[in-house]
Amino acid sequence: MRNLGGKVAFIEIKYKKLTQNTIMLYMMTAAKIILPLVLLPYLTRILTKDAYGLVSYVKAVMQYMQLFVDFGFMLSATKEVALVREDKEKLSFINGDTTLARCILAVFAFAVLLVMSFKMPLLNNNLLFTLLSFIPVALSCFFMDFLFRGLEEMHVLTIRFIITRGLSTFLTFFVVSSEKDLLWIPILEIIGSLAAIILVLFEINKRGLNLRITKIGKVVGKIKDSAVYFFSDMAATTFNALNTILVGIYMTASQVADWSLCLQIAMGIQALYSPITGSLYPYMIKTKDLNIIKKILVMVMSVILIGTIVMYYLAPWGLTIIGGKKYVSAVPLLRAFIPLLILSFPAMLFGWPCLGAINKQAETSLTTVITSIVQVLCLCILLINDRFTLLNLAYLRGATESLMLIMRFGFCVKYRECFYKNE
């Protein structure tokens, strides 16, 4: 009876911690949605479609740069931290080695960006804007989100994000008033990033941690170990960033603006899913609690289905409010993203929170890689057959997401016994 009571108490504490972390991540997600939505109508009105298309295009390129700098450490290093969270010495070495690894990757990312800038006219014609936009990516090496995720202290991430984006968003209204002020957009992001780094260093010092490096061989080894997570993230980014880059190559800047606006709305909605899966990942590593997965799936899917119905009917009103009347023509495009919004949550849920928690990283990455390959092949088919349109791109995203969902659910069924080994 005593053991049973202790187990119940442990489960109650874990559920409480999970709830607290989910709430904090939702606060961060709310900031991720609200701040861009506050800024979006302002930018779409003071900038021409061509200028807004440029900003969106460079941001899509920076997604790839950020992905390379992160190199899957948000998953691999988070898992390392979660397993040794009580050992400050080991945490300091994980922190130092991972940060150094990301700095090395940032140097390589910058070299790649320089090559891209001289090969791609849109970047080359706006070289200073492009290079300034990379600096916040490089500074993110010192955010150390993996540490606080692994420690399940999501409030630090929330405060850090609000400072970073909140400061740059607030200042944008006072500094950016026309296309002539475009350079201030990345400059303000740099200022916010520097403020966030100061906060992170303060939080690390408060916990008695620091940056300790073992040896360069160990750092290189961490990059190799994290590669499986990186290729999964890289493949996942293909779905959105690659589409935007291709739109910029084959379509007009005005079409880039339509695509970017609707994609940003869709990604804003998807961002509502991330706090749930993000807080579940370290929780599931410890507990393998499949029951909580089932409960969350039922509750969240009910909300998503209702929300997408509302979105379908309110799409014209929403686009007018967010972007202005010049974006009303994009209503069919926004509606075409609805299948993606319905399918993406269970696809995310069965990924890292489920398969990753039972050490099926290879399987999780495999589903993403296969789906991205299918995505690229379908993009080629659309281009060859002259059917590369914005609507077809949106429908393709829904189709490939369904493929990922089917594969991940299949692996969860295949390895379902792994969830019960700790009971």
Side-chain angles (χ1 to χ4, degrees):
M1 288 297 291
R2 182 177 299 175
N3 290 339
L4 180 59
K7 183 178 180 180
V8 171
F10 170 77
I11 293 174
E12 289 179 350
I13 293 172
K14 294 301 293 181
Y15 272 142
K16 183 177 180 180
K17 188 72 171 178
L18 174 62
T19 303
Q20 291 174 345
N21 287 325
T22 302
I23 291 173
M24 293 308 302
L25 285 181
Y26 258 115
M27 290 176 62
M28 183 171 70
T29 301
K32 283 184 178 180
I33 296 172
I34 293 172
L35 292 176
L37 287 182
V38 169
L39 190 59
L40 185 58
Y42 179 71
L43 291 178
T44 54
R45 283 164 173 79
I46 66 169
L47 302 177
T48 63
K49 270 196 168 184
D50 288 354
Y52 181 72
L54 165 66
V55 173
S56 301
Y57 191 75
V58 172
K59 285 185 179 295
V61 173
M62 291 308 144
Q63 278 187 265
Y64 276 110
M65 299 297 105
Q66 185 68 65
L67 186 67
F68 189 76
V69 171
D70 290 342
F71 209 78
F73 286 120
M74 292 304 162
L75 292 167
S76 63
T78 294
K79 188 171 184 178
E80 283 188 77
V81 171
L83 295 175
V84 297
R85 55 195 302 171
E86 305 300 330
D87 192 324
K88 291 186 177 182
E89 183 178 3
K90 290 182 178 179
L91 288 176
S92 294
F93 278 117
I94 293 172
N95 209 20
D97 289 344
T98 304
T99 300
L100 178 58
R102 296 183 69 196
C103 289
I104 293 172
L105 293 168
V107 174
F108 282 99
F110 182 69
V112 172
L113 180 63
L114 287 178
V115 174
M116 291 177 61
S117 297
F118 288 111
K119 295 292 184 180
M120 302 174 69
L122 193 58
L123 299 182
N124 193 21
N125 295 335
N126 301 275
L127 186 58
L128 183 57
F129 181 84
T130 301
L131 297 180
L132 286 174
S133 298
F134 178 78
I135 295 178
V137 175
L139 291 176
S140 70
C141 294
F142 303 97
F143 286 173
M144 306 171 202
D145 288 4
F146 60 89
L147 174 67
F148 300 105
R149 286 182 181 272
L151 294 175
E152 295 185 78
E153 295 182 5
M154 308 303 184
H155 64 282
V156 178
L157 306 182
T158 302
I159 296 171
R160 191 271 302 164
F161 179 84
I162 291 176
I163 288 177
T164 305
R165 295 299 175 84
L167 183 61
S168 60
T169 299
F170 176 76
L171 292 176
T172 298
F173 287 103
F174 294 95
V175 178
V176 181
S177 59
S178 68
E179 292 180 40
K180 297 178 181 179
D181 303 318
L182 275 182
L183 290 180
W184 278 104
I185 295 177
I187 290 174
L188 294 176
E189 290 183 3
I190 293 170
I191 294 172
S193 297
L194 291 172
I197 290 173
I198 294 173
L199 170 68
V200 170
L201 293 176
F202 170 78
E203 292 290 341
I204 290 175
N205 183 67
K206 186 171 69 174
R207 287 162 179 76
L209 303 174
N210 50 43
L211 299 175
R212 300 182 63 182
I213 300 170
T214 50
K215 53 184 179 180
I216 193 65
K218 180 72 172 180
V219 173
V220 173
K222 288 181 72 68
I223 296 176
K224 292 180 180 178
D225 293 341
S226 193
V228 63
Y229 298 92
F230 165 71
F231 287 119
S232 176
D233 288 344
M234 186 67 179
T237 303
T238 301
F239 301 139
N240 293 325
L242 178 60
N243 288 345
T244 301
I245 291 174
L246 289 177
V247 169
I249 294 174
Y250 291 98
M251 298 186 185
T252 65
S254 177
Q255 288 174 305
V256 173
D258 284 341
W259 171 262
S260 299
L261 179 62
C262 292
L263 181 62
Q264 185 169 346
I265 293 173
M267 291 177 65
I269 295 172
Q270 285 182 300
L272 292 171
Y273 310 158
S274 298
I276 300 174
T277 56
S279 58
L280 272 173
Y281 179 60
Y283 172 83
M284 288 293 293
I285 289 173
K286 290 288 187 180
T287 65
K288 311 294 188 298
D289 185 4
L290 196 58
N291 289 325
I292 192 68
I293 297 292
K294 297 175 183 177
K295 293 177 182 177
I296 288 176
L297 182 63
V298 172
M299 289 189 296
V300 175
M301 286 307 298
S302 301
V303 175
I304 290 174
L305 291 174
I306 295 172
T308 50
I309 293 173
V310 174
M311 174 181 165
Y312 180 89
Y313 288 103
L314 296 184
W317 177 80
L319 283 174
T320 302
I321 294 296
I322 296 173
K325 292 183 179 180
K326 57 186 174 183
Y327 287 95
V328 173
S329 59
V331 168
L333 177 59
L334 182 60
R335 288 172 173 168
F337 277 108
I338 289 178
L340 169 66
L341 297 177
I342 294 174
L343 296 167
S344 56
F345 177 73
M348 292 168 63
L349 192 65
F350 292 131
W352 293 112
C354 287
L355 293 175
I358 56 174
N359 295 317
K360 301 301 177 183
Q361 296 94 331
E363 287 79 0
T364 308
S365 298
L366 179 63
T367 61
T368 311
V369 171
I370 291 176
T371 307
S372 65
I373 292 173
V374 172
Q375 170 90 3
V376 172
L377 290 176
C378 290
L379 286 173
C380 293
I381 292 173
L382 291 177
L383 288 169
I384 292 172
N385 291 280
D386 197 26
R387 293 187 177 276
F388 188 76
T389 66
L390 297 182
L391 282 177
N392 285 340
L393 278 179
Y395 289 132
L396 176 60
R397 278 295 293 110
T400 53
E401 197 75 9
S402 66
L403 174 62
M404 179 186 289
L405 172 59
I406 292 171
M407 288 191 292
R408 288 184 171 180
F409 179 74
F411 278 126
C412 285
V413 172
K414 180 179 180 180
Y415 299 111
R416 59 187 179 276
E417 293 183 0
C418 296
F419 292 100
Y420 304 105
K421 288 183 178 180
N422 287 3
E423 289 191 355

